[in-house]
Amino acid sequence: DSGVTQTPKHLITATGQRVTLRCSPRSGDLSVYWYQQSLDQGLQFLIQYYNGEERAKGNILERFSAQQFPDLHSELNLSSLELGDSALYFCASSIGTTDTQYFGPGTRLTVL
Amino acid sequence: AQKITQTQPGMFVQEKEAVTLDCTYDTSDQSYGLFWYKQPSSGEMIFLIYQGSYDEQNATEGRYSLNFQKARKSANLVISASQLGDSAMYFCAMREPLRGGSTLGRLYFGRGTQLTVWP
């Protein structure tokens, strides 16, 4: 158990819908990263937060957004879902930006 | 963009034998970090081992060791005494390099190597 929690574990929804994925980092970790894992793209960095502030954006679609709250948990919002958004979404956390990232169990999103 | 190459889509090893999983990376920076993660069929990503670019000694963590050859830009994972539970996908990753003393820290991943351990 990495200490990073993600909910829900599985999510099945329809095209055009909006979902929210939740992540709670390890106690004491200030950095939160979101990654997407798909068969064709592999593991791709989406977005990073550090102590409540957005620090970096990667290959994140405009339909996706995220935030980190004062208690440091983070949410990834995916809207206008398409079939191609089906993937495993990971949250990872680290103390700072030079420390090892520990991954949550992931949320498997299926868009039908 | 940083690039990680894992040339072995699949590897097979017999139980109790050692196996090496290859990883090469591409960066012009001097300060960076290299990681290996394990992903079993259940899906979670498990941190295995870390090597800093300035570390003079190869990293070791139990049965895992990292064969770091900086000049060749390779960071191969060696698993000794393989166990059936080692069967999983293994990912090599590089942390975004330090520039000006700081980094955003995001990871760049290779495509992974599927390791199968047979009895």
Side-chain angles (χ1 to χ4, degrees):
Chain A
D1 186 350
S2 68
V4 180
T5 61
Q6 287 187 251
T7 57
K9 192 168 177 61
H10 300 277
L11 199 49
I12 302 174
T13 188
T15 54
Q17 295 299 304
R18 173 189 170 92
V19 296
T20 297
L21 313 183
R22 182 188 169 102
C23 166
S24 292
R26 295 185 318 156
S27 177
D29 285 359
L30 299 178
S31 274
V32 169
Y33 303 81
W34 287 96
Y35 294 88
Q36 179 195 58
Q37 185 179 31
S38 62
L39 281 175
D40 50 348
Q41 297 292 325
L43 270 156
Q44 299 273 321
F45 166 75
L46 294 178
I47 196 165
Q48 176 205 4
Y49 283 83
Y50 180 81
N51 202 20
E53 293 187 4
E54 181 185 303
R55 293 291 301 276
K57 276 187 174 181
N59 300 322
I60 187 166
L61 300 170
E62 286 192 11
R63 301 182 285 108
F64 296 0
S65 64
Q67 53 184 326
Q68 186 179 29
F69 294 87
D71 67 352
L72 300 178
H73 90 271
S74 178
E75 293 181 355
L76 179 67
N77 301 296
L78 316 177
S79 62
S80 303
L81 285 167
E82 302 175 359
L83 296 177
D85 297 328
S86 295
L88 186 53
Y89 291 85
F90 285 108
C91 166
S93 75
S94 61
I95 299 171
T97 57
T98 60
D99 304 286
T100 296
Q101 292 178 31
Y102 291 90
F103 282 70
T107 293
R108 185 168 295 280
L109 173 66
T110 303
V111 182
L112 302 175
Chain B
Q2 315 304 322
K3 187 176 178 181
I4 301 290
T5 303
Q6 295 181 252
T7 57
Q8 308 152 314
M11 288 284 286
F12 293 85
V13 65
Q14 190 170 26
E15 201 176 7
K16 299 179 185 176
E17 297 294 312
V19 63
T20 298
L21 306 184
D22 294 341
C23 172
T24 58
Y25 58 92
D26 182 22
T27 182
S28 57
D29 295 278
Q30 297 302 308
S31 182
Y32 49 88
L34 297 158
F35 300 80
W36 278 90
Y37 286 86
K38 171 184 177 181
Q39 186 176 38
S41 58
S42 51
E44 71 267 34
M45 292 284 286
I46 303 167
F47 165 70
L48 294 178
I49 196 166
Y50 164 77
Q51 178 85 43
S53 60
Y54 289 119
D55 294 341
E56 294 186 353
Q57 301 224 347
N58 287 339
T60 60
E61 288 285 350
R63 294 185 299 109
Y64 304 107
S65 60
L66 202 152
N67 185 358
F68 181 48
Q69 299 186 46
K70 194 170 182 177
R72 297 180 63 181
K73 295 186 178 179
S74 74
N76 299 337
L77 177 69
V78 180
I79 305 175
S80 63
S82 297
Q83 302 172 356
L84 296 178
D86 294 335
S87 293
M89 183 73 85
Y90 289 81
F91 290 95
C92 178
M94 182 166 67
R95 184 183 59 221
E96 192 165 52
L98 277 168
R99 295 199 181 99
S102 67
T103 176
L104 295 172
R106 59 181 161 181
L107 297 176
Y108 298 89
F109 285 88
R111 297 291 286 186
T113 295
Q114 179 68 48
L115 176 66
T116 302
V117 182
W118 51 284

